[in-house]
Structures are given as C-alpha cells and as structure tokens.
Amino acid sequence: MTSRANVLLWTDSSTAYLDAIKAAGLADRVAVDTLPRKEKPSADQLARTEALMAYLAPPGLLPAMPKLRWAQVMTAGVEEWLALPDLPPKLTLTCARGTHAESMPENIIGALLYVAKPYAAAVANQKRGTWVRTVAQPLTGKTLGILGLGVIGQHVARIASVLGMRVIGTRRRPEPVPNVAKVLPADRTPEALAESDFVLLLLPATPETDNFINAERLAMMKPGAWLLNFGRGHLVKDDDLIAAVKAKKIAGAVLDVFRQEPLPAEHPFWTTEGIIVLPHIGGPHPQRDRFVARLFADNLGRFLDGKPLREVVDRKTGY
C-alpha cells in the first residue's frame, strides 16, 4: 500500500476542510491531523507533517518541521509569514487569494452606496422624528479608480460598470481588464488619483506600499473624492489622511482595515468627521471556510500529484 501524505490542519474549523478532502476523493491518500489554533503541534506532528494549513506559524515552528514542503495560508495576506525570520527558503507558500470574491465586492459596493446615498442621514433624522428631504448623489457617470486590479478589483469593476460607473485602475502588469476603461501601471497612479471620484485601495502589503496614501498622493485626488481602503491598514498614513479630511482636501474615507486591529478607542479615526470606521467586515463570509477549503482541497490534490499549485506566493513581490 502506498504511504499516505501527512497533513496538519491547524484551525478551529476543521470540519469544512475534512469534508472538502473527502469530496475531492483524497481521504485515502492522506493522513490528517487536526489541531485547534490555541494548541501547539506535538513533537510527532512536527516530525512527520508534509503539508500544513494554518492562519500563521510562530517563529521557530517551521524549521522544526523537517518534512514540511508546502504551507497553505488561510488568508489572502501573507505579510506576517514573509516577516518570519526563519521562513524556510524552499518552503512553498500558497495563500487564500480570491476566496473573498463573493463577500468583499458586495461590501465595497455597499460602501459606495453608503457615501453616495442619504440613508445614514435619513436614519439619524428618523430617530429625531425629522423629515428632511435630501438629493442622493448618482454613481452613474462617476469614475471609480481601483489601485490593485486583482481578483477582487475585477469583480468590483464588473458590478460598478453595471451601475454605470467608469472604472480605471492600476496593475503591476497593465494588460486590458474586462469592464475597466483604462489599466495603468503603478507609476501612473497620480493619473488614476486625479481622475477618480472614488479611490479604492486593494493593494497588497509590501514594503513599497507602506504609507502609499500620504499627503502627497492625497493632494492629487479631487476635493470631492472619497477614499475607500479594503486592502491593508498600512497602505494609509493615518495622520495625513486625518489632516486631508479635516481640511476638506478630499470628501472623506471609508476604512475597513487598520494598522492595529481592533482599532484603539483613542484613535482619532473614530471621531474625525468624514471618516467612516468599519470593523474589518469586508472579507468575512458565513461560509468562508467552505471557499478556502475548496481551494485547499484542489491544491492538496495537485500537491499529491506533483502538479503546480494555485495561488503560490511570490516572495519577491510579497504576495
């Protein structure tokens, strides 16, 4: 009998992944260990694990796994993995890129509607028993600039185009993208900022994108433009954004991600008029484990068959 590959599922929600392994017909080809996140792998598990699925690995863990060849990260972002001082150079990392393709585009469109339509004001007026007629701003004809036209950005572009919006954006490789009027390389970001009524941040976390939206780039935006950050908290220089919103250099910002989460109670984002704080709701989905499990099972089959894996992390680019 052919020996089975040893897999460690280091998660609090292993059922969806076990079901996906079974549905993919792989159950007889693997020996699976499950481990809650609060527990540490045993010496035996460290010694025999060949494939790992986890949110994060603490320093010292991966070098203690001599047979480990592949790690599936359960999130799209991998900056914490790449920051590990002892990340084995030959370890293949794959991420959960694309598994937010249902939830995040809907939540981004929701944010666009929230700032363009007077629903929040109407609810506040209702609490006061006050009838105030306001005129909703149309999205039709407005320009949405997406910085980071990856999987999520392309889904957003499709929905936005149906709403009558003109979509432009930036991409590392600026090939044409469906529903996007103009795809620009990163060095033409100022052009995208200047043309956009809404700027959506979906850039990955890399050293090059740290404080990407600063005073200089905020000054390139239209005074009536909104900034939406659903990418990474470190993309925005907090103090510069607060200053720009207070000075009315831009209309405001919707922020779903932050440098520190939960956002500290004393942070001025909470009280700055024109800044809307969302508690990182963009990506979560009631069935998100099922989406990630589907990707993991596909990759597991590829791993067992010696085929190229999906969503492999490029350590040079950082995502």
Side-chain angles (χ1 to χ4, degrees), residues 208-285:
E208 290 73 24
T209 60
D210 188 44
N211 288 325
F212 190 81
I213 296 299
N214 53 21
E216 179 182 4
R217 290 196 170 97
L218 287 163
M220 298 174 184
M221 294 173 59
K222 297 178 179 181
W226 280 81
L227 178 73
L228 292 78
N229 188 10
F230 283 77
R232 290 289 181 268
H234 93 295
L235 299 176
V236 174
K237 190 171 183 180
D238 294 2
D239 291 344
D240 287 1
L241 176 60
I242 292 167
V245 173
K246 286 184 174 181
K248 305 298 183 183
K249 292 182 179 179
I250 65 171
V254 180
L255 308 176
D256 187 54
V257 288
F258 307 90
R259 292 178 178 274
Q260 181 180 345
E261 296 185 8
L263 185 68
E266 66 276 9
H267 198 289
F269 278 160
W270 288 109
T271 54
T272 301
E273 185 176 356
I275 291 181
I276 298 167
V277 172
L278 303 179
H280 204 144
I281 61 172
H285 187 285

Side-chain angles (χ1 to χ4, degrees), residues 58-142:
L61 180 87
L62 299 177
M65 306 176 82
K67 293 186 177 181
L68 184 66
R69 292 183 286 139
W70 163 48
Q72 172 72 57
V73 183
M74 298 178 68
T75 58
V78 292
E79 56 269 25
E80 291 179 300
W81 286 77
L82 296 181
L84 288 171
D86 52 10
L87 182 66
K90 295 185 178 180
L91 177 66
T92 299
L93 277 180
T94 58
C95 66
R97 187 185 300 119
T99 56
H100 301 100
E102 181 176 306
S103 56
M104 191 173 287
E106 290 185 3
N107 285 318
I108 290 169
I109 296 299
L112 288 171
L113 290 168
Y114 185 88
V115 299
K117 309 301 179 183
Y119 300 135
V123 170
N125 289 328
Q126 179 181 351
K127 292 178 180 179
R128 294 190 291 265
T130 305
W131 178 281
V132 180
R133 294 191 66 185
T134 53
V135 178
Q137 295 300 310
L139 291 178
T140 301
K142 297 294 177 64

Side-chain angles (χ1 to χ4, degrees), residues 23-34:
L26 303 174
D28 292 337
R29 301 178 63 187
V30 293
V32 180
D33 283 346
T34 62

Side-chain angles (χ1 to χ4, degrees), residues 7-19 21 32-41 45 51-57 61 72-75 81 288-290 292-293 296:
V7 178
L8 176 60
L9 303 179
W10 196 4
T11 173
D12 295 331
S13 52
S14 59
T15 300
Y17 300 90
L18 294 170
D19 289 345
I21 291 171
V32 180
D33 283 346
T34 62
L35 189 69
R37 292 178 65 186
K38 66 180 180 180
E39 297 184 17
K40 297 288 182 66
Q45 288 171 330
L52 168 70
M53 190 195 69
Y55 278 99
L56 184 62
L61 180 87
Q72 172 72 57
V73 183
M74 298 178 68
T75 58
W81 286 77
R288 184 174 182 274
D289 279 313
R290 182 168 59 85
V292 180
F296 173 72

